[in-house]
Amino acid sequence: MPMRTIALRELAFTGDGGLSVRADAVDVRTGKPEPQPSRSAGRARDVALSLTAVALLLRPMGPWFVRPAILAVAVLMILSPAMLRSAAAWGAIAVLVAIRIGDDWPLADNHVYLLGYWALAIALSLRTAGDEAGLAFSSRWLIGLAFVFAVLWKAVLSPDFLDGRFFRVTLLTDPRFGGAAQLIGGLSRQQLEANRKALQLLPAGAELLEPPAIAEPARLRLLAMAATWGIVALESAVAFAMLLPAATIRSTFRHALLLLFCGTTYLFAPVAGFGWLLLAMGAAQLDDTQVGWRRAYVAAFLVVIFYGEVPWADLTLAARWG
Amino acid sequence: MKMVAPALLAAVASAQIVLSRTVDLTAWKGGGFGMFATLDHAGYRGVDIVVDAPDRSETLQVPASLEVAVARAAACPADRALRAVAEAVVARERRQQRPVSRVTLTFWRADFDRATLHGSERSVRTFVYDAP
C-alpha cells in the first residue's frame, strides 16, 4: 500500500522578508516526517547572519566615514529579515570593511579581514536562492584556511613560538594575561611586577653586568608550555576538521572542536570579536535539524560576551587575596 | 562562487607572508593570521626619530599627532611608510618654528634570549630623509 502523506504547515519568513506558509510532508500512519531529498538550512543561516550583524554592532570599527554606515546597515539587518537576507547589504558590508582595512593598512586586526571575506561569502551565496550549502562550504574553507595560516605562523614561520618564549614572555609582560599568570601560573603580584621590570627592553648594544633574575614558578612554565602546544594542537585539529571533505568527518566533530576552541581561547585572548565571528560562521554550517548545535553556538556567543566584559581574573584574585 | 572568498583569504595571507619576509611586515598584521604567534609585535617594535639641523641634533619622543603614522611604519617599515613619518616630522617641526634639515628614522625590534628571556632592542633599518 503506497504511503499517504499530508502537509504540515508552518509560518516562516520568506526571502523578501514577509511571512509564508511552509509545508513539510508527513506520513499519516506513523506521524513521522518523510525523508527529504536535502536538508533545509534557512533557519540556521538566518541565525548565523543575525549573529554576524550583532557582532558588527558589538565592536564598531573603522573611521568616521565607515563606522556609521556599518552600524546603520547592521541595525537594519537586525530589524528587517529582508535586509538580513539582502545580498546588496552584505556586499556593502564587505566593501566598507575593505575600505576600513585599506584606510589604516596594515594596522587592522586579522579578524577584520575574516569579517570582510565572510561578508563577501554571504553576499555571493544570497545571490542564489537557497544556496545555504554554498555558504556552509565557504564558512568551512574560510575557518579552515585561517587556522592553517595561524598554525603555519606558529609552527613554522615564527622563531619564538614553539620553544615557549612567546607565552613565557607574554604571560609575564602583557597586562591582559597577568590574571592568568597569577591564578594559574602561581605568581604573586610582587613577582609579576618585579618580572615586568626585569624584562624591560635594553637599548641596542646595551648589556647589564648583573641582569635581574626572572621568577618563573614551575606552574607558570607548565602553563606556558601547555598554552603553546595546546593552541597548536587545537588550531591544527580545527583546520583539519574544516578542510577535510564533509563526507569524511562527522559534522558533530567539527562543531565540537570549534566550540571547544572558542570556549577556551577567548577566556584568555582579548579578542572577543574574533570569537563572535567564528561562532557565527560555525552556525552557518548547520542545517535546520541541528537545533541543539544552533543553541550551543548562540550560548557560546553569549559566553564570549561575558568573557570579554567581566574581569573574571581580577575578581577571582580580589576574592582570594582581598 | 563559493570559493571566491576563501581564495581571496589565501591570496592575501600568502602575500602577507611574502611581505613579512621582504619588508619586515609584522606577523600580527596584514591578514596573515600570525597573531599570538610571535613576540615581534607592536609592543616590541618601534621607530626612533632623530632630527638634525645646523646647531641641532635631537631625539624626538613620538608626538601624539604622529602616533598612527609611526605605528604603521613600525608594523611595516617599508620606504613609503617611513617617508610618510619623516615628512610628517618635518611639517610638524616647521609648524613649531624649529629648524630641520634631516630626519633619521631607525626601525628596531626586540630579541629575547631563549634561556633568560631578557630582551634587547636590535636596529634593523635606518632611513634618512633630507628635508627639501
Side-chain angles (χ1 to χ4, degrees):
Chain A
M1 183 178 173
M3 180 185 289
R4 291 178 58 208
T5 60
I6 60 171
L8 287 183
R9 295 170 189 279
E10 181 184 352
L11 288 177
F13 285 122
T14 60
D16 60 2
L19 285 173
S20 73
V21 178
R22 193 174 70 196
D24 292 323
V26 170
D27 179 354
V28 292
R29 290 175 306 170
T30 64
K32 292 179 180 173
E34 273 187 48
Q36 297 298 303
S38 66
R39 286 177 165 178
S40 165
R43 172 70 183 143
R45 181 204 57 194
D46 285 353
V47 169
L49 303 193
S50 298
L51 290 178
T52 308
V54 171
L56 288 171
L57 293 172
L58 286 174
R59 286 285 186 275
M61 67 172 76
W64 65 266
F65 50 88
V66 165
R67 184 188 302 232
I70 290 178
L71 291 174
V73 174
V75 166
L76 291 174
M77 285 173 169
I78 298 291
L79 295 176
S80 158
M83 277 293 282
L84 188 68
R85 295 174 194 150
S86 161
W90 286 103
I93 292 288
V95 169
L96 290 165
V97 170
I99 292 171
R100 178 258 182 277
I101 291 170
D103 178 61
D104 72 345
W105 194 91
L107 299 180
D109 287 334
N110 287 297
H111 66 276
V112 179
Y113 289 79
L114 189 58
L115 174 63
Y117 305 138
W118 178 232
L120 176 63
I122 294 172
L124 293 175
S125 79
L126 288 172
R127 290 176 62 204
T128 311
D131 189 25
E132 290 86 5
L135 185 61
F137 180 93
S138 296
S139 162
R140 284 200 296 114
W141 273 82
L142 285 173
I143 297 174
L145 286 172
F147 277 66
V148 162
F149 280 101
V151 171
L152 184 64
W153 266 111
K154 290 181 176 76
V156 180
L157 299 173
S158 298
D160 53 0
F161 189 83
L162 285 185
D163 66 13
R165 262 181 295 173
F166 172 74
F167 271 116
R168 287 174 67 199
V169 172
T170 300
L171 284 167
L172 294 175
T173 57
D174 190 330
R176 299 171 301 179
F177 291 89
Q182 292 177 78
L183 276 176
I184 307 171
L187 272 182
S188 69
R189 191 172 300 171
Q190 292 75 18
Q191 284 175 315
L192 190 61
E193 284 167 9
N195 282 343
R196 285 180 181 160
K197 277 187 187 165
L199 286 175
Q200 281 178 351
L201 294 181
L202 294 174
E207 198 171 336
L208 294 176
L209 282 176
E210 292 183 17
I214 309 292
E216 267 193 300
R219 273 170 58 192
L220 188 67
R221 290 290 288 264
L222 191 62
L223 172 61
M225 293 317 288
T228 298
W229 290 99
I231 197 111
V232 168
L234 196 47
E235 287 184 347
S236 302
V238 172
F240 274 114
M242 293 292 165
L243 294 181
L244 285 175
T248 64
I249 186 167
R250 290 171 64 93
S251 69
T252 300
F253 189 57
R254 280 203 311 269
H255 297 306
L257 276 174
L258 188 58
L259 287 166
L260 177 64
F261 176 84
C262 292
T264 52
T265 303
Y266 298 105
L267 184 57
F268 301 101
V271 274
F274 214 140
W276 295 326
L277 183 57
L278 289 174
L279 291 166
M281 294 171 74
Q285 297 175 27
L286 298 170
D287 61 50
D288 285 351
T289 65
Q290 296 174 294
V291 177
W293 285 114
R294 196 165 72 218
R295 289 177 180 156
Y297 274 108
V298 173
F301 194 95
L302 299 177
V303 166
V304 173
I305 291 177
F306 281 85
Y307 283 174
E309 300 298 327
V310 177
W312 61 271
D314 292 339
L315 292 174
T316 309
L317 287 168
R320 181 182 291 183
W321 291 323
Chain B
M1 296 300 272
K2 61 190 179 184
M3 276 307 290
V4 170
L8 193 56
L9 182 155
V12 171
S14 300
Q16 188 262 1
I17 292 173
V18 172
L19 290 176
S20 75
R21 292 300 188 251
T22 52
V23 290
D24 281 311
L25 172 63
T26 174
W28 285 61
K29 301 293 184 183
F33 299 96
M35 63 287 180
F36 295 101
T38 174
L39 293 164
D40 183 22
H41 56 68
Y44 296 122
R45 284 177 160 226
V47 176
D48 292 336
I49 305 170
V50 175
V51 174
D52 287 304
D55 300 323
R56 181 186 185 206
S57 182
E58 186 179 347
T59 300
L60 290 190
Q61 295 298 312
V62 177
S65 60
L66 296 184
E67 276 176 358
V68 172
V70 170
R72 278 198 195 110
C76 185
D79 280 356
R80 187 175 161 190
L82 292 168
R83 183 174 296 110
V85 172
E87 288 172 350
V89 168
V90 169
R92 182 176 182 277
E93 291 300 294
R94 289 182 174 160
R95 268 199 313 274
Q96 301 192 354
Q97 316 283 316
R98 290 196 289 252
V100 53
S101 57
R102 170 175 286 189
V103 176
T104 304
L105 304 176
T106 303
F107 164 67
W108 59 266
R109 63 183 182 206
D111 290 330
F112 290 86
D113 186 87
R114 197 178 291 237
T116 68
L117 297 185
H118 286 112
S120 57
E121 296 174 7
R122 175 169 58 90
S123 298
V124 177
R125 203 174 160 209
T126 300
F127 181 86
V128 178
Y129 177 80
D130 289 315

